[in-house]
Amino acid sequence: MTPLPPVVLGEDDFDYLSNLTAARAGAASEAIDFLEQELDRAEILPQEKLPADVVRIGSTVDYRDLAAGAVRKVMLVYPNEADSEAGKVSVLTPIGAALIGLKTGQHIGWNARNGQHRELEILAVG
């Protein structure tokens, strides 16, 4: 299993996501639990100091699924904007919680909705 990489969040995303997870406290969701862990270990920066290659809400992300070798492009969005057919992934999904705060070149493991452990590599952030 890949060790957890550093996570960097802008103040705006951190505040929104902290409120979002608090509002769903008690909900049985592995993705919410994972997101809370990511928030707890994140380095928080002012928005203007956040590096351009850090995944944030609204980022388009190219990543490689390391098991399958497949490359995918998704946009990380708030839950109400999610649309899997349009490639818009909610931050409250397992993959969305795994992506937030990563930089180009980083790897992370997460458990998919079917319980299967997956790993990905961030190829590009736009």
Side-chain angles (χ1 to χ4, degrees), residues 22-95:
R24 295 174 188 252
S29 170
E30 192 172 321
I32 291 173
D33 293 344
F34 184 60
L35 182 56
E36 287 175 331
Q37 291 171 13
E38 295 296 272
L39 294 173
D40 287 345
R41 67 186 196 84
E43 176 185 358
I44 312 305
L45 297 176
Q47 290 301 124
E48 65 273 7
K49 298 208 180 221
L50 197 60
D53 68 340
V54 170
V55 179
R56 63 193 92 198
I57 301 296
S59 292
T60 300
V61 184
D62 294 328
Y63 71 90
R64 176 178 293 116
D65 179 319
L66 296 179
V71 174
R72 296 204 164 83
K73 178 181 284 231
V74 297
M75 176 182 277
L76 188 63
V77 298
Y78 296 119
N80 64 326
E81 300 171 329
D83 180 350
S84 60
E85 290 182 19
K88 294 181 177 182
V89 174
S90 167
V91 70
L92 287 186
T93 61
I95 183 75

